Every structure is written in structure tokens, then in C-alpha cells.
Amino acid sequence: LGAHRLVGRDQDELTDACIKRGLRHDLRAKHVVGKAGNRVALHDRHMLVGGRVKDDLDCVIVDHLANDRRVANRSKAGYDFDPVSAAKRATADLLEARSAGDGFPHSAVHAVEAGVEILAPGSEPLPADATASAALASWLNDGADDAYVAVLGYFEATGERDDLLVRLRDALRARTGRATTFGVGPRYLHSTGQLHKGGPDKGLFLVLTSDAVEDRDVPESEFSLGTLLRAQALGDVRTLRERGRPVLHAHLGWSVEEGLATLADVLEEGA
């Protein structure tokens, strides 16, 4: 989390302001909040505003899409390609296909559990005996013994969801003995997302999406924020698969809370 995200600004800033500023990061010291909290766990898109945590999802999405600059000197970080640009290209391709009327590429539903869809690439029909437990077990068996598990959530953070994510990560750790991480999409694409795709092949990736309960249009765009967010999630899934990374996409439906609890239940029961 950079110092430019610890800011003292008006909490009512809207998406159009984000578009106008693009990716202009203001690092002026007067915007830094001092001693905002002693024990505050910040996720990637959270901001400290006047001692409180503010979720800045709208700005994150627009900022990410507005940034078309390539990251210089990528080879110095040990990557053999540009992970940020790869994810952006995949997102742009998905949005272009949708704009042309083709919709997002179809992913086959591999299994369904209490409304949670486990998605697989392609269009193979759902096997009669498919279960979420089997899909999760197969995915977890793909990684090396020293792999870590990255949970990547494309939904708004709340206290209840944070608690459920802790439970989900505890279940993954108990099931596999592996370290777990959590990234808020799409912000992580510019940080740990580079490691996921450009670093050592040591990760298993669980991408979580949901339906947009409240959505709004992006000014001067034909897309809504929910559409942009889904495209970025699917773009990262595509890029991870192209890199040969073990990735599982679970769509939580309309209730993120119920979906997270269902996944945790499945993992705990299969331990």
C-alpha cells in the first residue's frame, strides 16, 4: 500500500473525478494521515480517510483501465514478460467482444453448490456427478508441495465478508498446509498480480466473482462498473491459464456472504 493511498480527501469523490485524473498519484505529504489506527488491516483498494477505512472500488477500476503505460525495465524484476500489460490486453479483448455483441466468452459450469458456480474453460456439459468438493480437490492437487494459495476477490469489502474470507483461508490452510494470501481485484493486478503471472510457478489461484447488486454506468463509456469488474476478473483468469497456472474461478452469485460460507463449508467438510 503506497503512501498516496493514505489520504485526507473528500469521501464523496465519484468516478468521473477518477477518470479525469487518470493515474496521477499525488504524493504530497499533507495528504498523509498520521496514526490513523494502530491495528488496521488494509486490503489493496482500501484507503484511510480521516481515521476510517474507505473502499475506493470505482476509482480502482477506472484507474486501472485508464493506465496504458507499460511498466519499464520488467526484466530487472526477473519477469520474462509484462504481466500488467498481458492482463490489460485480455481485459480489452473481452470488452471488445462484448461491445461487438458476442458477450463474454462462455465458461462451462463444472459444478454447482448452493448457488456457487465452479467455472471451467470451454463449453463441456456439466457431468451428472460433478461436485464442488471434487472440483476444489482437483484444483488443490495441481500445485507443487511448496505452493501458496492466492484468493482473489472481485467484490466490495465489508466486515462480514472479511470474517468469512478469514474462515475460507483458514480452511484452505488446514486442508493443504500451504500459506494463503488475499488480493482485492482489480487492485492486486498492479502488485501481487505481477508475481502471480510473471514470477515462479508456485501459486494456486482462486478467483471469486459475484453479480453486481448495485451497479452504475461509467461516464462517457458504454459499460457499467460491474461489467468492467467482470471483464478484469475474466481477463486475469484467462492470463493465468495461458501462463499454465492452476486457477479456479468460482462465481458466488448475488450473495457474496452465502457464497463464501458455502466454499468454506465444502473445504471444511472435505478436510
Side-chain angles (χ1 to χ4, degrees):
L1 179 68
H4 59 283
R5 285 297 171 189
L6 303 179
V7 301
R9 72 176 191 182
D10 189 347
Q11 297 186 46
D12 294 325
E13 282 185 310
L14 295 178
T15 307
D16 55 350
C18 301
I19 296 174
K20 292 176 182 177
R21 79 163 188 261
L23 276 178
R24 177 177 56 82
H25 296 304
D26 195 339
L27 300 178
R28 290 174 292 181
K30 68 179 182 180
H31 287 165
V32 177
V33 177
K35 298 182 180 178
N38 293 326
R39 299 182 65 184
V40 179
L42 292 178
H43 293 308
D44 285 341
R45 74 168 186 262
H46 284 165
M47 303 171 64
L48 280 178
V49 182
R52 299 180 64 187
V53 176
K54 175 182 180 295
D55 185 54
D56 201 25
L57 175 60
D58 296 356
C59 295
V60 168
I61 297 173
V62 177
D63 277 356
H64 180 77
L65 290 177
N67 177 21
D68 60 0
R69 297 179 301 171
R70 295 182 64 86
V71 179
N73 299 322
R74 181 67 57 193
S75 61
K76 292 183 179 180
Y79 303 149
D80 58 2
F81 86 123
D82 185 346
V84 174
S85 291
K88 287 180 183 177
R89 284 194 299 271
T91 298
D93 290 345
L94 288 163
L95 289 173
E96 183 177 354
R98 191 180 189 282
S99 181
D102 298 331
F104 289 137
H106 176 69
S107 292
V109 178
H110 183 75
V112 178
E113 185 82 27
V116 176
E117 296 178 339
I118 306 298
L119 303 173
S123 56
E124 292 298 321
L126 179 67
D129 58 347
T131 65
S133 179
L136 286 165
S138 176
W139 166 65
L140 289 172
N141 288 335
D142 280 347
D145 291 340
D146 58 348
Y148 63 92
V149 181
V151 180
L152 308 170
Y154 284 80
F155 45 76
E156 183 179 1
T158 67
E160 182 179 1
R161 292 173 182 178
D162 286 347
D163 291 342
L164 287 165
L165 284 164
V166 169
R167 181 186 164 200
L168 177 62
R169 291 176 61 186
D170 284 347
L172 284 165
R173 187 164 50 248
R175 176 82 171 261
T176 66
R178 296 175 172 131
T180 69
T181 66
F182 176 67
V184 177
R187 177 68 69 188
Y188 74 83
L189 295 172
H190 278 284
S191 53
T192 53
Q194 300 181 55
L195 174 66
H196 298 163
K197 295 179 283 291
D201 187 5
K202 295 290 187 180
L204 295 102
F205 306 96
L206 177 60
V207 177
L208 305 175
T209 58
S210 65
D211 293 311
V213 177
E214 295 183 7
D215 204 356
R216 61 176 123 170
D217 293 334
V218 176
E220 301 181 10
S221 169
E222 62 182 295
F223 303 115
S224 69
L225 286 171
T227 299
L228 295 178
L229 191 65
R230 180 67 62 84
Q232 290 186 292
L234 295 177
D236 198 40
V237 169
R238 174 184 289 185
T239 308
L240 286 164
R241 283 178 175 151
E242 288 175 349
R243 296 291 292 170
R245 305 312 199 223
V247 55
L248 191 69
H249 176 197
H251 186 67
L252 306 179
W254 293 106
S255 176
V256 173
E257 293 80 7
E258 291 180 8
L260 291 173
T262 295
L263 287 177
D265 287 342
V266 171
L267 286 166
E268 289 167 354
E269 291 169 1

